[in-house]
Structures are given as structure tokens and as C-alpha cells.
Amino acid sequence: MTEVEKMSEELNSTKQLQSTLQTVLDLAYDGIVVLDPNGVIMLANQAFSDLIGKSLMELLYKPIASVVEDQVICRLARELNKTEACYVADHPAIVSVVPMKYGDKVQGSVMKITVSQLDQLREVILQLDDLKNQLDYYKNQLHQYNGTRYDFDSIITQDENLLKLKAECRQAAHGISNILILGESGTGKELFAHAIHNASPRSREPFVKVNCAAIPSDLAESELFGYEPGAFTGAGRQGKPGKFELANGGTIFLDEIGDMPLILQGKLLRTIQDREVERVGGTRTRTVDVRIIAATNNNLIDLVQQGSFRKDLYYRLNVVTFTIPPLRLRRDDIALLVDHFIQKFNNFMGRNISGLTTTAAELLKKYAWPGNVRELENVIERVMNLISKEKQRLDKNDFSMLLAPESSVEFNVEPNVKSNILSNETINKNNRSKDYRTAMVETEKQVIIEALELASGNKALAARKLGLSRSTLYEKLRKYGFG
């Protein structure tokens, strides 16, 4: 009885093991069948039964060739170490057959038929295609509403030198090198940056603008390179990507690069060299594929000599350099630009101004335009806001109106910084006794004062007219002692 009991226990254990194995097989999504050396089905799971269309009772302990009609399965059942892509029951499938060995002797084989995963994979691929199409659509929408607004056709000129510069910029747009744009304030450096990005292979990727002068020095690093959760007091729980990460795949425009804090220039240099960024408070680097376009109205060589700009960073940025000529060196463009701005503000204000009188055109052509194209646009906008609705053409007197002394600003203005568009002689005399930087500072102060006068002291409105953020305008007001 002892031997019988022992055999009974082993039989029960074998049955339990077989039941467990059958349960495990039935949980698999793949069709699985176990064959003995003669091709007899010893085990099969429910997925195989459903695929063949026969019950397990009809399949078990019978030669596979006698119960399975699919010739591919029958053929592969006779082969070992075989994997083949084929159709099983009209479904695309991958069939794999591996031998079962006991020692060196083959005791049978296991066949796995993967069908359901392929169907799921096909569904996932279709879903990914749909998501990609949606992403492309929203990218296009974002590009239209929040991306670059200008292309090379937006640069209005008939000046030979500027036309040549446009052609060179268009050619450089197709490359991958960093670009440095130089020029006085108001010449259109950002417009050229937009145009270069739009003409490049990255045109559908992000264009991220960073005003290096407007970012507070204590926040500049986290703004450019991002931060990890808990990196500093007030940091978001999820962390935040920096401007370089947001521009990944596209272009980052570093405006007023000459005003970037010296402490950040070293980290920017490493980013340019290694194409990697490290978030504030982080321990790992992130690879970024970003093209850099930098712009400044400062003389970077002077800043390098003064020690306020790194020489190695200058050489990294100064790969392809373009200098935009000031408006006073391309006076023939003034008439074209005036017509363009008049049409723009006609549409915006619902006016019907046809152009300038001859005397007004001569006046504008003779003026020095220290604020360049931006100043010209602001002057045209201001005049069109002040003239009567019946007026059809702008004349010299309209521009004289602009210069009448006013006191509608909310802070005291020294008399010697009042703008006077007709007093070129006075401006020239003053500038002879001052260096270039001082003249530029006074010009910027004059432009800000005019914008505030036009906005009746409303700083938010003045910032919009100047194309600046409110924080930038406040910073400049503090810089010049106005607030």
C-alpha cells in the first residue's frame, strides 16, 4: 500500500502541475501548442483553440496534421528552430517553433503563434498616425498664431546693400551655424531672425525668443535652462523646462545678447559647445538640438575688452555675422516704409490716408532717424492718431503738431530730452559733444517719452506701442530714473 500511495500522490501532483500549466497557458495572448516527437498535440491553450476553431477536446492527443487544416501550421510543426511571418486563419501572424530537449535528445517542440499582438500593434500604429496628424495640425496653428510672423518678403527695401544682405541671410538660413545679427536699435534685427528661421529647415519647429536684458539676473539661469522640483524656494512641484528645452529642434533667438549677465555666459558657452543643458538643481544633462541666433546693438568687441563679455563666447557666436545698416544710410527706403506703415494703420484705424505731401516727404527723408525703422513707424502711428478724420494726405504741419510741448506724462522730463523732429541741427550739435553710447541712450529715452506721451502715461499701452514687455519698460524707466 505504501508504493500505491506514493504513486497516487505523484499522480495527483502531476495532475495539479498539468492543471497549473494549462491555466498559465490559457492566460497567454499567443496561441501555444506542445507537440511530442511524432507531432501529437500534448498541450494547447485556449488562444490556439480559438484561432483554429476547434475545442481542446478535439485537439488534445491527436496528430496536428489530422485536426488542423492550416497547411502553414502543419508544415512548420515538422520544423525546429524556425520563425516565419505568415497568415494564420486570415490573420497576419508570426509563428515560432522551438525544440524541447531532455539532455541531448529532442522530446518534442513548442509552437507559438503571435496574432493578437500584431492586431494590437497595428491599432497602436494607426492611433499614433492619428496623433501625429493632430500634432502637425496644432503645430501649424501654433506657428500661425504664436510663431514667427515675418519672412524675407516682410523686409521692405530697395537699397542695394540691404537687398544683398537679404540674399546672404537667405543662403545662411539653410545651414546649421550660429548667426550673430548686429545693428542699431530699431533696425529690424528680430525681423531678420524671424525670416532666417522661416527660411530654414527648422521652420515648423519652435522659435523661442529670449530678451537677455529683460530677465532678472536671479531668475535668468532657471529661465534659460529650467529647474528641477524643489530646486529653490518657490520652484514648481513638477519642475520646469528652460527656453533651450522648449526650443529643441528649432531656433532660439537671444536678443540683446550683449546684456546677458556675465555669470550666465559660461553656462551658455557650455550649452553651445556640448549641445546639452543641465537644469538648476539637477544632476543629469539633457541633449538639445537648437540653432542659436543672437542679436545686439552693442559693440561686442568693446564689451570683451571691458571684461563684461566673454571672449570665447564671442567667438562661438561670431560664426556667421550680419550687420543691418541704419535707416539714415538707406534714405531711399523711407518713402517705401512710410507707404507701408500708412497702409498698415489705415487698416488698423479705419482711415483712408493716401500718402505724404512733397514737403512732408522731404522732411522725413532729411531727418536723421536715430531710432531707425521703429521710430519711423511710431511717428507715423502717432501722427495718424492725431490728425482729423477728413484728412487725406499727411503734410509737414502734421509732423510739426507732433512736436508741440506737452505735459501729459506722469513724471518730470528734463527740457533737453524733449523730442524735436524738426531740429536736426540741434541734435547734430549735441551729438558732436557726446560719444556714441550717450547719443543712443538719449535717443532711447526720447522714444520712450514719446510713447508715454501718446499713451497719456499708460505704461502698459506704451509698452505695446514700443514692442516691449511691461517688465522691460519698467526696467528701462528705472534705468533712466523715471520711476
Side-chain angles (χ1 to χ4, degrees), residues 58-70:
E58 295 176 288
L59 296 173
L60 292 176
Y61 313 117
K62 297 176 183 177
I64 191 169
S66 66
V67 292
V68 175
E69 298 177 359
D70 194 296

Side-chain angles (χ1 to χ4, degrees), residues 416-455:
N416 64 339
V417 297
K418 279 289 186 180
S419 63
N420 190 336
I421 198 170
L422 299 178
S423 58
N424 287 326
E425 185 63 27
T426 302
I427 293 175
N428 291 334
K429 287 180 180 178
N430 290 338
N431 286 346
R432 291 192 194 105
S433 62
K434 300 172 183 176
D435 60 22
Y436 176 77
R437 183 176 296 277
T438 302
M440 291 299 297
V441 167
E442 289 199 359
T443 298
E444 186 174 52
K445 288 166 67 176
Q446 292 173 17
V447 172
I448 291 174
I449 290 167
E450 288 185 7
L452 284 164
E453 288 176 343
L454 181 59

Side-chain angles (χ1 to χ4, degrees), residues 451-466:
L452 284 164
E453 288 176 343
L454 181 59
S456 299
N458 186 322
K459 294 180 180 179
L461 179 58
R464 286 199 297 273
K465 290 183 178 297
L466 291 169

